[in-house]
Amino acid sequence: MRRALPPRHPLAATSIAYRRAATRLCVEQLREVEGRLEEGCGPIWEGQAASADSLASVATLVLKLLKRLRASGVAAPCDSAEIERLEELEAMTPAEADERAVEMAQLLRGRISALASAVPMGFDTSAALGAPVRRRDRERAVDKAREREVLREREVRESEGGEGASDGVVVEWEPLVGFRVVYGDGEAEDMSARELRRALLMPLMLPRTQTEAGPRAVGESARERGAAMG
């Protein structure tokens, strides 16, 4: 004999859609904050962020990012009670999280906002506009030997002025996407703050505390340098 299924809550579909949207938004915000760190949380964290499909998985990402901040000497913007609530959310079943989706999403957004305030960008984003950027190698080194080979190939390309040299420029910054870089051949890619710092051709990024020229003047100066190199 088949058991009758319990009636579905009239807001169930809306709740699922809300939870999915809230999850993706939280993940993108966390990625942006994590991308500011000099040393990131690593490939495991990146993989978990890419596959996150619930508010509980977002709580896991927040807790791991908090742990990384403490290891880096950054004061964690969460007290013990808030961490306990995050751990509670992390342990919830999908059904439990769905019932408290709005409450849990608000908790996560509050913690992510606190993280964004605690982790500095390290520079004024307007200072990056127009900055010349080195094209990154598309292939990742799978071992030390391959890494050395990639570096040698890059040196050859740069000495010949070919691909791999400074042929990109920062054209835009968007909080949930990062820094948009457009190359001379028309290709484009988005970089986090950490990736951009490593790809910059020259150290023209200024700290937020330096306001002598002002963000607008710094950005205009960077654009002029980028245009001169093109």
Side-chain angles (χ1 to χ4, degrees), residues 81-93:
E82 290 169 332
I83 290 177
E84 286 181 3
R85 292 190 68 194
L86 288 170
E87 291 174 341
E88 176 190 0
L89 171 56
E90 183 183 31
M92 282 184 182
T93 65

Side-chain angles (χ1 to χ4, degrees), residues 119-217:
V119 182
M121 179 72 72
F123 52 81
D124 192 312
T125 54
S126 65
L129 298 179
V133 175
R134 183 187 309 279
R135 185 191 295 270
R136 298 186 299 170
D137 292 293
R138 291 182 175 79
E139 291 187 40
R140 293 179 176 230
V142 295
D143 53 35
K144 290 297 181 181
R146 175 56 185 157
E147 184 177 359
R148 287 192 295 270
E149 181 181 346
V150 167
L151 290 175
R152 284 195 299 269
E153 292 173 355
R154 176 191 294 172
E155 291 172 357
V156 171
R157 290 197 302 268
E158 291 176 0
S159 65
E160 295 175 350
E163 183 176 348
S166 56
D167 55 353
V169 63
V170 180
V171 298
E172 184 183 7
W173 176 74
E174 204 285 322
L176 293 183
V177 177
F179 295 88
R180 172 62 55 88
V181 176
V182 175
Y183 297 102
D185 58 7
E187 291 189 2
E189 70 171 320
D190 297 322
M191 294 184 179
S192 66
R194 177 174 60 250
E195 291 169 333
L196 181 63
R197 283 195 295 266
R198 295 174 179 176
L200 279 170
L201 181 68
M202 58 183 71
L204 51 80
M205 310 302 273
L206 301 181
R208 288 182 179 275
T209 54
Q210 185 169 345
T211 57
E212 182 178 354
R216 184 178 299 276

Side-chain angles (χ1 to χ4, degrees), residues 15-86:
S15 178
I16 292 173
Y18 174 85
R19 187 179 69 243
R20 288 174 178 171
T23 296
R24 295 320 307 167
L25 176 60
C26 288
V27 168
E28 294 308 315
Q29 291 174 327
L30 278 174
R31 277 178 162 164
E32 192 278 323
V33 175
E34 190 270 347
R36 303 178 188 179
L37 299 175
E38 188 64 32
E39 295 295 334
C41 295
I44 294 179
W45 190 93
E46 283 289 344
Q48 290 175 329
S51 61
D53 59 357
S54 67
L55 296 176
S57 57
V58 174
T60 299
L61 294 173
V62 173
L63 288 168
K64 289 189 174 183
L65 182 53
L66 286 169
K67 183 177 180 180
R68 179 62 187 153
L69 291 180
R70 287 193 294 270
S72 302
V74 179
C78 283
D79 57 30
S80 58
E82 290 169 332
I83 290 177
E84 286 181 3
R85 292 190 68 194
L86 288 170

Side-chain angles (χ1 to χ4, degrees), residues 91-108:
M92 282 184 182
T93 65
E96 291 172 335
D98 191 40
E99 290 178 0
R100 301 171 59 185
V102 175
E103 174 193 352
M104 294 298 99
Q106 290 175 341
L107 168 66
L108 289 170

